[in-house]
């Protein structure tokens, strides 16, 4: 009850966002620094090509923490690392697969993260299509599962980008195929049914391994042999699970439907740590001159997947945050509120680093002016989706006004999912993720071609500058923005692995 009364009081005292005047003084100095003397590409190249992929829990992730903290300090900011607790560490080892039938050739494959390997043994068997949606269906396929590599889902529908333009009928048909591939909403939406589905998802790989499955194949989900990597310590699996190119996955599915029996051989070496490992967020700030206890957070995630070098997801976002800090520091301008720059880890495994930060700083939530995140690739900022805060539409139009020469910015209703701003919204903090030009992000992210070659220099200079300007303006507003609704936050629990996992 007390927290509700405090919240009500804050809402009553807060000035409506549309009524606040945006002070654009100094924006020209920030734009000049950001567009004329940028260091974003130099830093991005070092992060991508020297430090390389930064899987959460790896030594490279910590190296990136230390390097970015040193960079912030070199720009004159105070910086430190804040620890949070991660699940088990996981290391990817060598993988080798071949197709044995109906013809012979190599099969490119990558382990799904936080899944076990074969211990280096070569496992050979047929590729079979099975239904593992519930215990009864698994039992019905028991004889087919034993000694086989499993396909458990429809191929992802892929549209040839060089083919004819997609018609309305094509689009509708593709949507139906997508629904079949990924399933629709569950028939039973009760809490008991939800928990049962969650428990089955945890138990399924253990049950399949007990039934003698060799492993599970995962559709890469992208065209032209690109992979879509993921995984989490919340879904540790003792059953080998490998991502293969969509083209190969779809071919296996077609062969099975024809009555043919594909056969493959595979060897995988992966390992897990014996216990949970600590991880860190890199935190830096420029102290506010008038209201240092109130904070604007500018952030992106520093961790990445490890097939490429994590450039567009999210080296670009984290280096624009670093550059936005450099721009303000070099301009000599002093924000009225503190601006805090945070490079989160654990984003790829479920926003874990930002969730931990928001929980650790929950008592400060009512003094956080806003959280601004960049996490959609190499493209320039094009505007803002309001995340349900339609009252802030005019505010964002005013915030973008000084940077209008850099683009035509669009402020629109819409919710952005899957990025670190979401971790703060349950605490009532206004949180946003900038809209960006796509620039091939859906191809590069999570894939083996997520590399420096796909970074767009002028776009990242623009994005860094826009972040610097809008953060500075938010820091200088007369009042705090109205708080959003507060909702309960349930901590996630890492499910402990079985004793049979490969350890290091």
């Amino acid at each position: 009850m007390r927290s509700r009364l405090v919240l009500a009081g804050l809402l009553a005292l807060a000035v409506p966002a549309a009524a606040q005047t945006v002070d654009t003084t100094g924006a020209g100095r920030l734009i000049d620094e950001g567009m004329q003397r940028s260091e974003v590409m130099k830093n991005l190249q070092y992060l991508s090509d020297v430090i390389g992929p930064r899987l959460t829990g790896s030594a490279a992730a910590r190296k990136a923490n230390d390097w970015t903290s040193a960079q912030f300090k070199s720009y004159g900011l105070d910086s430190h690392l804040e620890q949070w607790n991660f699940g088990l560490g996981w290391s990817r080892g060598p993988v080798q697969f071949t197709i044995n039938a109906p013809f012979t050739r190599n099969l490119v494959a990558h382990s799904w993260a936080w899944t076990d390997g074969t211990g280096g043994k070569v496992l050979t068997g047929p590729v079979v299509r099975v239904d593992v949606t519930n215990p009864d269906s698994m039992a019905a396929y028991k004889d087919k599962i034993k000694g086989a590599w499993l396909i458990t889902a429809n191929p992802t529908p892929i549209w040839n980008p060089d083919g004819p333009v997609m018609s309305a009928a094509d689009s509708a048909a593709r949507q139906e195929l997508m629904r079949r591939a990924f399933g629709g909403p569950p028939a039973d939406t009760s809490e008991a049914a939800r928990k049962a589905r969650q428990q089955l998802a945890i138990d399924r790989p253990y049950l399949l391994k007990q039934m003698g499955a060799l492993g599970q194949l995962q559709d890469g989900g992208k065209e032209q042999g690109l992979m879509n990597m993921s995984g989490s310590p919340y879904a540790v699996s003792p059953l080998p699970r490998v991502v293969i190119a969509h083209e190969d996955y779809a071919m296996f599915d077609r062969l099975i439907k024809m009555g043919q029996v594909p056969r493959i051989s595979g060897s995988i070496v992966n390992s897990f740590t014996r216990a949970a490992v600590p991880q860190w967020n890199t935190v830096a700030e420029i102290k506010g001159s008038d209201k240092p206890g109130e904070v604007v957070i500018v952030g992106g995630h520093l961790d990445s997947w490890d097939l490429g070098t994590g450039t567009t997801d999210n080296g670009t976002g984290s280096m624009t945050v670093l550059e936005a800090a450099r721009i303000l520091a070099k301009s000599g301008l002093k924000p009225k509120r503190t601006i805090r720059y945070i490079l989160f880890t654990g984003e790829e495994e479920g926003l874990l680093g930002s969730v931990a930060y928001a929980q650790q700083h929950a008592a400060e939530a009512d003094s956080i002016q806003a959280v601004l995140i960049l996490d959609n690739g190499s493209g320039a900022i094009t505007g803002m989706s309001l995340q349900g805060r339609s009252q802030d539409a005019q505010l964002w139009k005013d915030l973008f006004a000084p940077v209008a020469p850099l683009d035509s910015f669009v402020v629109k209703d819409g919710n952005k999912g899957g990025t670190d701003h979401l971790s703060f919204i349950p605490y009532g903090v206004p949180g946003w993720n900038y809209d960006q030009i796509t620039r091939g992000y859906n191809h590069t992210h999570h894939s083996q071609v997520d590399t420096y070659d796909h970074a767009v220099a002028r776009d990242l200079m623009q994005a860094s500058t826009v972040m610097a300007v809008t953060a500075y303006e938010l820091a200088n507003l007369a009042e705090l923005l109205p708080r959003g609704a507060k909702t309960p936050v349930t901590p996630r629990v890492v499910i402990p692995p079985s004793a049979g996992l490969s350890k290091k």
Side-chain angles (χ1 to χ4, degrees), residues 224-236:
Q224 299 177 359
L226 296 175
M227 306 292 180
N228 192 5
M229 180 53 57
S230 192
S232 171
Y234 291 108
V236 169

Side-chain angles (χ1 to χ4, degrees), residues 69-85:
S69 185
Q71 288 298 101
F72 279 120
K73 290 177 182 177
S74 75
Y75 294 145
L77 280 73
D78 294 325
S79 182
H80 64 279
L81 304 186
E82 293 196 11
Q83 183 177 323
W84 59 279
N85 293 323

Side-chain angles (χ1 to χ4, degrees), residues 17 19 55 58 80 84 147 176 184 194 341 344 353 379 387 409 440 460 477:
L55 188 68
S58 69
H80 64 279
W84 59 279
E176 175 59 20
R194 185 191 69 79
Y341 305 89
F344 301 105
Q387 206 70 33
F409 297 95
L460 295 176
L477 288 179

Side-chain angles (χ1 to χ4, degrees), residues 166-233:
M166 189 182 296
S167 67
D170 292 329
S171 179
R174 186 171 185 273
Q175 287 299 316
E176 175 59 20
L177 289 173
M178 291 288 282
R179 186 193 67 77
R180 293 178 185 176
F182 297 106
D188 188 344
T189 58
S190 67
E191 180 64 12
R194 185 191 69 79
K195 288 185 176 179
R197 287 191 295 271
Q198 184 181 45
Q199 189 61 52
L200 178 60
I202 294 167
D203 294 342
R204 184 183 291 117
Y206 294 87
L207 294 172
L208 291 174
K209 184 166 185 177
Q210 290 171 7
M211 295 169 72
L214 300 183
Q216 182 179 350
L217 302 182
Q218 175 88 14
D219 188 344
K222 301 185 181 188
E223 77 283 1
Q224 299 177 359
L226 296 175
M227 306 292 180
N228 192 5
M229 180 53 57
S230 192
S232 171

Side-chain angles (χ1 to χ4, degrees), residues 5 27 37 89-90 130 211 237 314 374 464 488 502:
L5 291 174
R37 290 172 290 279
W90 177 83
V130 295
M211 295 169 72
S237 171
N314 186 34
L374 194 76
S464 306
S502 301

